[in-house]
Structures are given as structure tokens and as C-alpha cells.
Amino acid sequence: MTVSAEEECVVEILFDLKHDLGKYLVLPLRLLPEEASLDEIRRALHSGLYETRRANGKTLTARNVWRRYRQALAPWHEADWWASLERTVEETLSMEQQFPETFSDRDDLLFRMSRVEQVLRELLRALKNEQ
Amino acid sequence: MMRTKPRLLLIDDGDDYADAIGSRMPEVELVVPDPARPNEASLRDGPSAISFLTDHRDAVDVVLLDMHFDIPTERLFPLAENAGLRRTRRFQGVAILREIRLRFPHLPVVLLTALEDLSLMDAAEDLTSQSMTYILDGHDLDTLRVRVHAAMEDVSRETGDERVLWGDNPRMRTLRRRLAVLSRGSMPLILEGETGTGKSWLAEMFVHAHSGRRGPFVVLDLSTVPTELISAHLFGADKGAYTGAVESRKGVFENAHGGTLLIDEIQNAPLEIQKQLLLVLQDRRVRPLGSSREVTVDVKVIAASNSPLDQAVTRGTFRSDLYMRLSPATRVRIPPLRERVADLPFLAVRFAEKALADPDTGELRDEVRQLLGFSSGTPVTLTLGRTRGNVDPTEEVTIEIPKPAWKMLLDYPWPGNIRELEMVIHNLVTFTLVETLDAVRSHVPITSGRLQVDPGLVGNLLSGAVCLASGTSASPPPDSRIPIELRPGASLNDVSRDVERQYFAELFQRSHRDFAIMARELLGDESKSRAVRLRFNQLGLKVRDFR
């Protein structure tokens, strides 16, 4: 997985961000059974945040992934959508510090962990409609 | 026949799904592509997948296919002419699926992606309406279970009724694609089509199956419910709500919660009931008769009618607001058989195959093969319109419908549509086999496997004047027509047999329980009473039950 600042279109970068971060942040939680224990939920949350991408023997945390994409998206930090995206990602990445105090139920946690993916999906739809 | 455990082949550049399925879905078996590496339960790219499937297609029931592949460039299948590298990786699943479809059109594939993400790329519509292609759209194991189950059910059906129903012409394939799109989710659907076109079967086996809804499939045929009880059947009733309501009962809307409700013959609903239906569709709540409570219902409604609903609106017998709520944009018209004449050869051959696979007719087939000196594995096929010049009559048994008889079938208007065609073909096959046996036992020399269908038999079957009334129980009409009650069945074959059984039972009674008279009525020839009696027995009818 490589991200390059030379990428010609922001849509391409955002698509990849949605996959590399948005999807993998929440996938371990999604693949849990309904009856998962609190411990299993905690482990899935940890996996989503700290074992987000695994490739070629390396493991990247969500923060690593975000750092790379944040850099690639530097030319768009003044865009009107940037602040909202950045805020959503930071809120999501801080989830584990809040767990389990703010944990109410699995569905609520799933919803909150999938916010990055959803925000990016909406952003891409909006950008696609503009093109 | 479905295996106990579906065998899933995973095509994915990561291990998340393999780990989750391996540890949490014991009801499926993950195919291990390389026995020397038992811990690797995924194929990592398209070329590996195609190579494996080419050699091991029979070892796989369902493919799970990821969409995004971060793999070396040389292992990527091309996506489209101008697609860049990132886009090719992002939608590599589409390119792999294309290659799979070229080689294995009937292999079920579940795409591990969200519907919303598909809508962000072109060709999304094509994917969602593709036969045997399913979108996971949930990324959770429960949704995966539902998709795998639907795929396995579709596989077993594809070799049976569904392939027969859709035929083989582009118009029906287009209809199928449209219906696949409209089946999704909870939007209502209007199915229009004459009696016998397969609406009920389509509603359950296709629309509900492709809807992704987890609740049950429920049917209410308004033509079988007394008018004064329609409301109770639809919305439920509390005990004592009306005379005869000895206990509270749920209506079909409640029973179908989370699933699909087919309201058949909706054009028969009185206007007052239509108004109530409109309110339910708008508010998604029902109030049982005699009750003060309201129940929330989540139901996908299929409204079926054997006549165009827009014409009923014009006549004033169907509410325009209800029609609009049911969404005319989702109206699907199943064409009658007479508009699908091009499908007749395909359908006739398929129905003949089904008839020959039927246990009772199969026995006749085996007996004919044996008496004519053919081995037990000799194929028996139907040919239409002309003798197949390339068939060696000493090596194959053919049941031939000669040109004049085939023209009769082509010209016939088929008021009973597919159901009627199936019944006629089944009878043609059965009677031809019986007549062959009769001839052999009467020492009539038969030197080849070429068995000709008697054109007179075709004419008599088509003029048998079966009246396919919808659910009425009136006394027999004064003319020679026989009223038949259409009842739900698990398959087209079951429904056809039930119709034929009713017909034979009634005709037997009218023939004073005399098979010779029945043969004269049915086939114009009293001497064919044995054939008629044989078919009578095959339908499960017993003479002693008519005494």
C-alpha cells in the first residue's frame, strides 16, 4: 500500500483512504458474532485501531495509515470538507481511550467506528456528482 | 441436491474473512486451495482463482470475492481501457468476476462489498441484476450466511423451475434482470400476468429470495377469501370482533413482518379494503379488527393481478392513490405464453425432460427402453416439428412431435400459459410411452427408437377445454368445461399435477367412472382407456375413492 503526493485526483486518494482506514477500522467489529463478549469486543476494537493493515509482514496502526493519507491530502487541507473529515477521523482514533466507559452497546460502537467510512462515502458521492 | 456444508472459495488479498469464517462459521467449509499450505484459505488474485476453478470447479459451491486487491501489477486483470492502476486495484473484484462469468456462468459469487460503494462506480446496476451474483452489503457474518444460503438455494433451483420459467430468449432475460433489481429491499412491487404465467412462483422463489429480507414469505389470495373476511385476514382480528371470531388472530401483515407479503388477485379487493391497505402502506401500522392497539409492520408487499391494474384504475374499481403507493414504476408484466412463442421449443423440451424424470413416467420410459431392446442408459429426448436427421434411431429413443402437431401447439393461444403447456407436454410424453408399450405388447413391430406423437392426441389435449377458474367453487357449468381451483404449490410441477388431478377426477365422475368413456372424451378414442387409467393412477387417484 503506497500513497503518493503526486496522485493526480483527490477522489482516488479518498477512495483508497475509505478502504485502507474506513473499512479496516471497523471490519473486526463487523465480523464478530451477535453474542460476542465484552472482551471480544475490546479485542476487535483494539485490532481495528492498532492492527489496521497487515502487509508484507508489517503491521500498520490506524494512526500510521491516517498519517500517510493526511500527508497525501495536504493540498486539500483548505477544502471545505477537510475539517469535518479530520475531526471524524480523530474522534474515531480516540475511541479506545474511552472504552469501555462510553460503551453502551455493540451496535452503537459499530456505528461510531464506521463513521470514517460513511463520511468518506458521502464525500465521494458529493465529489462524484460535482465532476 | 444441496450438500450438507456449502464449500466456499475465498478470493481475497487479506485474511480477515478467512479468519472470521474459519472460526465462527462451522456450518460452511472453506476450500483450501493448496493442501500443502493448509493455513492459507484464500486465493490472492484473479489468475490463481481462475486457474484453481478451471481444475477444481466441482469442489466449489460458492465463491466469496473481495473487491479491492493490493497486489502486484502483473497479477491484476485489466478493468477497463482507461482505468488507472489505483482504480484497477480498487475494483479488481469486478474484473475477476468478469473472468469467472465467462467461464463459469452458473457459479454463485458473493461480492464482499457494500451496495453503496458499488453505486460509486459504473456497471453497478449490471452487477446487482446479474444472475448468481450477490452483494454482501453488510460485511457481517449474519448477512454472509443469508447470501450463501440464497446462493445455494438458487443453484438448486436454477436446474429446475426457474430455468423453465425464464426460458431462453433475450426479452425474458431482460425481464429477469429488471426483476432482480426491483426485488431488493422493501419497496412494493406490482406483478401482472395472466393465470398460469408463474406470478406466485416468481414472487416467492425469485423476488423474496433476492430481496435480502430475513422474514417469512406469506401469501394471501383474495379470490379464495370471502369478502367479509378479507379485512380480518389482512389486518388480524381480536376475539369477538365479528361473528365467528372465537379467538384473536394475526393478519398476514403481522405474519409477514420482516419478510414479504404477496397479495394475489389484488384487483378483487373491495374499495373500502383498498383504502385500508393504502393506510397500512403509508403508516406501516395495522390495527386488527376490534382492537384499539396498532402494530408496526415492516413488510415488502407484492401486489399480483391477472389484469392490468391501471385499467382497473380507469374503470374506477381500483384506487388511484393505492396504485401510486404500490409504485407503478415497479410494475412488472409477465408476458403470456402466446407472446413467447419463440420460447416454446425450449420450454417443451424442458418439460419433457421433467416429465421423463418424474418417477411414474420414468418407469414407463424404462419399460419402453427395455422392450425395444435399448440399454438402461439410452437417452430419451423430445424432438419438435421435424425428424432429427442426425439421430441414429438404433442408439437413441426420441419422442417426436410431427410438424402438423407442432404447428397446433405453436398456434394454440395457451390460455393457461406455462402451467397448461407443462400439463400438455407431460401428457403427450406419457401417452406416447403408453401407446408404445401397448403396441409392443400387441406384437405391433417397432423397429426403431423413433416414437411419433399422435397428432390426434395433441388436438384432443388442446381441445380438452380445461377452465382455469381462479378459486371459485360454483357448481359445474352446463357446458363441457370443467372448473379448476388453483391452489398454491411448492413448484410449478406440483401446481400442474394438482390441476390435472382435479381435471381427471371431475372427468372420471362425469364419465360415470368408465375409463373407456373418459378416453373417448379426452382422446376421441375409447380404445385408449388403458392409457387414461394409467395416467389416472399416476396422479394418485384411486377408483375406490369415487364409489
Side-chain angles (χ1 to χ4, degrees):
Chain A
M1 177 195 70
T2 57
V3 176
S4 160
E6 289 79 32
E7 198 65 37
E8 58 179 322
C9 177
V10 66
V11 167
E12 300 291 314
I13 302 174
L14 292 172
F15 254 121
D16 287 348
L17 176 61
K18 184 170 75 63
H19 175 262
D20 290 344
L21 187 64
K23 172 182 173 180
Y24 285 97
L25 266 174
V26 70
L27 189 59
L29 271 169
R30 281 193 178 131
L31 292 177
L32 279 182
E34 280 282 342
E35 63 277 7
S37 66
L38 199 60
D39 249 359
E40 285 174 310
I41 294 173
R42 187 200 307 272
R43 275 201 297 277
L45 180 61
H46 181 92
S47 178
L49 286 167
Y50 295 103
E51 298 162 352
T52 314
R53 294 308 316 271
R54 285 168 283 176
N56 303 322
K58 289 185 187 173
T59 299
L60 290 175
T61 66
R63 204 160 273 292
N64 292 152
V65 174
W66 174 234
R67 193 173 298 128
R68 291 187 180 191
Y69 276 95
R70 197 177 187 289
Q71 193 175 347
L73 288 166
W76 291 278
H77 285 191
E78 299 301 317
D80 52 10
W81 45 263
W82 172 254
S84 169
L85 173 63
E86 187 179 39
R87 188 169 52 247
T88 302
V89 172
E90 291 295 340
E91 279 171 5
T92 307
L93 295 186
S94 69
M95 284 294 296
E96 208 203 6
Q97 282 116 39
Q98 304 163 41
F99 188 87
E101 285 73 28
T102 56
F103 173 69
S104 54
D105 61 44
R106 181 168 166 255
D107 285 344
D108 176 64
L109 185 62
L110 257 173
F111 174 77
R112 288 155 79 186
M113 290 300 289
S114 62
R115 280 297 294 156
V116 172
E117 186 183 54
Q118 193 54 36
V119 162
L120 281 164
R121 195 175 278 140
E122 287 161 9
L123 175 56
L124 282 162
R125 193 169 294 124
L127 290 173
K128 196 168 181 259
N129 287 338
E130 282 173 17
Q131 284 180 344
Chain B
M1 191 174 82
M2 265 171 50
R3 294 176 173 273
T4 311
K5 278 194 183 188
R7 297 162 303 172
L8 271 51
L9 178 71
L10 195 42
I11 308 173
D12 186 1
D13 62 341
D15 292 317
D16 298 274
Y17 280 100
D19 292 343
I21 294 169
S23 61
R24 297 185 191 121
M25 286 182 69
E27 70 271 27
V28 303
E29 180 189 321
L30 267 181
V31 173
V32 175
D34 184 354
R37 296 154 94 170
N39 293 329
E40 289 201 16
S42 309
L43 286 164
R44 302 299 189 189
D45 55 48
S48 309
I50 298 300
S51 172
F52 180 82
L53 284 169
T54 301
D55 294 335
H56 304 283
R57 167 63 183 95
D58 288 342
V60 176
D61 293 316
V62 180
V63 166
L64 304 184
L65 173 60
D66 198 10
M67 182 60 76
H68 188 128
F69 282 77
D70 278 324
I71 54 178
T73 313
E74 63 272 17
R75 302 299 292 176
L76 290 167
F77 281 145
L79 181 66
E81 213 171 285
N82 300 322
L85 186 58
R86 286 179 96 125
R87 186 173 170 81
T88 300
R89 285 204 170 102
R90 184 179 316 132
F91 297 117
Q92 177 63 189
V94 173
I96 297 175
L97 177 63
R98 189 183 303 138
E99 295 298 320
I100 290 176
R101 283 286 164 253
L102 275 174
R103 296 162 180 78
F104 315 104
H106 300 295
L107 175 61
V109 176
V110 178
L111 277 168
L112 305 177
T113 189
L115 267 172
E116 288 179 281
D117 289 338
L118 272 190
S119 70
L120 289 169
M121 71 164 282
D122 300 327
E125 172 96 6
D126 185 53
L127 285 181
T128 57
S129 60
Q130 226 183 56
S131 174
M132 293 305 200
T133 298
Y134 310 83
I135 312 299
L136 180 60
D137 195 33
H139 289 294
D140 61 276
L141 294 186
D142 283 340
T143 308
L144 181 58
R145 282 189 183 91
V146 170
R147 295 291 178 265
V148 169
H149 181 71
M152 295 299 290
E153 295 234 320
D154 282 353
V155 166
S156 64
R157 270 198 297 274
E158 268 276 309
T159 55
D161 287 341
E162 189 173 335
R163 198 172 275 174
V164 163
L165 187 70
W166 293 117
D168 201 31
N169 77 65
R171 181 183 175 192
M172 291 304 288
R173 283 202 290 274
T174 302
L175 181 63
R176 188 186 195 283
R177 278 199 297 275
R178 179 153 184 261
L179 199 56
V181 173
L182 295 173
S183 298
R184 285 172 8 211
S186 59
M187 68 177 139
L189 184 61
I190 299 175
L191 274 184
E192 289 175 356
E194 294 176 5
T195 301
T197 48
K199 295 190 298 297
S200 302
W201 190 93
L202 265 179
E204 181 176 10
M205 299 302 182
F206 193 86
V207 176
H208 177 62
H210 284 75
S211 69
R213 298 178 66 78
R214 298 188 191 183
F217 176 78
V218 176
V219 181
L220 181 66
D221 183 345
L222 294 187
S223 66
T224 64
V225 180
T227 306
E228 64 273 17
L229 293 180
I230 289 179
S231 199
H233 277 259
L234 279 169
F235 313 121
D238 275 3
K239 181 178 171 182
Y242 58 89
T243 306
V246 298
E247 56 183 13
S248 296
R249 62 177 288 172
K250 283 186 184 177
V252 290
F253 270 97
E254 273 193 82
N255 288 334
H257 180 66
T260 306
L261 171 64
L262 168 64
I263 304 177
D264 206 353
E265 309 284 356
I266 197 170
Q267 74 280 4
N268 291 343
L271 286 168
E272 182 53 37
I273 300 290
Q274 291 178 30
K275 184 178 172 187
Q276 293 174 52
L277 268 174
L278 173 64
L279 291 173
V280 171
L281 290 173
Q282 283 174 344
D283 302 336
R284 297 178 182 264
R285 287 196 301 271
V286 295
R287 179 178 295 173
L289 289 186
S291 174
S292 57
R293 66 185 171 89
E294 283 190 327
V295 181
T296 301
V297 290
D298 167 28
V299 175
K300 181 180 180 79
V301 172
I302 303 172
S305 171
N306 62 16
S307 55
L309 279 180
D310 58 349
Q311 291 178 12
V313 171
T314 305
R315 285 194 304 270
T317 58
F318 200 84
R319 291 181 66 112
S320 60
D321 47 5
L322 175 59
Y323 181 61
M324 295 309 291
R325 173 56 62 168
L326 288 169
S327 189
T330 68
R331 190 179 78 159
V332 175
R333 176 180 172 269
I334 313 297
L337 190 55
R338 63 182 175 279
E339 292 179 17
R340 298 173 54 190
V341 175
D343 272 337
L344 242 77
F346 173 85
L347 293 173
V349 169
R350 290 294 168 274
F351 284 136
E353 288 173 356
K354 281 184 75 174
L356 289 163
D358 180 279
D360 296 325
T361 318
E363 280 182 23
L364 288 175
R365 173 204 62 206
D366 293 343
E367 206 177 336
V368 165
R369 276 198 291 227
Q370 189 189 6
L371 284 178
L372 294 183
F374 289 91
S375 69
S376 62
T378 304
V380 179
T381 53
L382 183 77
T383 61
L384 310 165
R386 63 179 182 278
T387 303
R388 279 169 55 202
N390 58 338
V391 171
D392 183 346
T394 64
E395 291 194 3
E396 189 176 336
V397 177
T398 56
I399 298 174
E400 296 182 356
I401 300 181
K403 239 184 196 169
W406 181 239
K407 188 168 186 317
M408 275 194 263
L409 292 170
L410 287 174
D411 291 343
Y412 184 63
W414 299 106
N417 289 288
I418 292 185
R419 197 178 294 136
E420 188 181 4
L421 173 65
E422 182 175 11
M423 198 166 69
V424 167
I425 297 296
H426 198 130
N427 274 285
L428 286 182
V429 167
T430 304
F431 285 134
T432 302
L433 291 174
V434 168
E435 284 174 12
T436 304
L437 286 175
D438 267 348
V440 170
R441 291 202 175 108
S442 305
H443 306 294
V444 172
I446 297 181
T447 55
S448 81
R450 193 172 282 154
L451 313 178
Q452 281 240 332
V453 171
D454 180 358
L457 173 62
V458 173
N460 283 320
L461 283 173
L462 294 183
S463 66
V466 174
C467 168
L468 292 175
S470 51
T472 59
S473 56
S475 51
D479 61 19
S480 62
R481 303 203 306 170
I482 294 177
I484 300 290
E485 182 185 346
L486 290 178
R487 297 188 281 243
S491 68
L492 282 172
N493 195 45
D494 286 349
V495 174
S496 290
R497 280 180 74 96
D498 184 52
V499 166
E500 197 180 351
R501 194 177 295 119
Q502 291 179 57
Y503 180 69
F504 265 65
E506 180 62 26
L507 188 60
F508 186 59
Q509 293 275 36
R510 293 191 187 184
S511 304
H512 310 292
R513 303 195 291 277
D514 185 327
F515 284 110
I517 297 174
M518 198 171 163
R520 187 181 66 219
E521 292 295 323
L522 190 58
L523 302 171
D525 185 347
E526 281 189 4
S527 69
K528 295 191 190 303
S529 61
R530 183 176 181 274
V532 171
R533 181 165 191 156
L534 188 65
R535 185 63 186 151
F536 185 88
N537 291 337
Q538 283 180 344
L539 290 168
L541 296 165
K542 303 272 187 292
V543 170
R544 62 172 179 270
D545 294 336
F546 291 81
R547 290 200 181 112

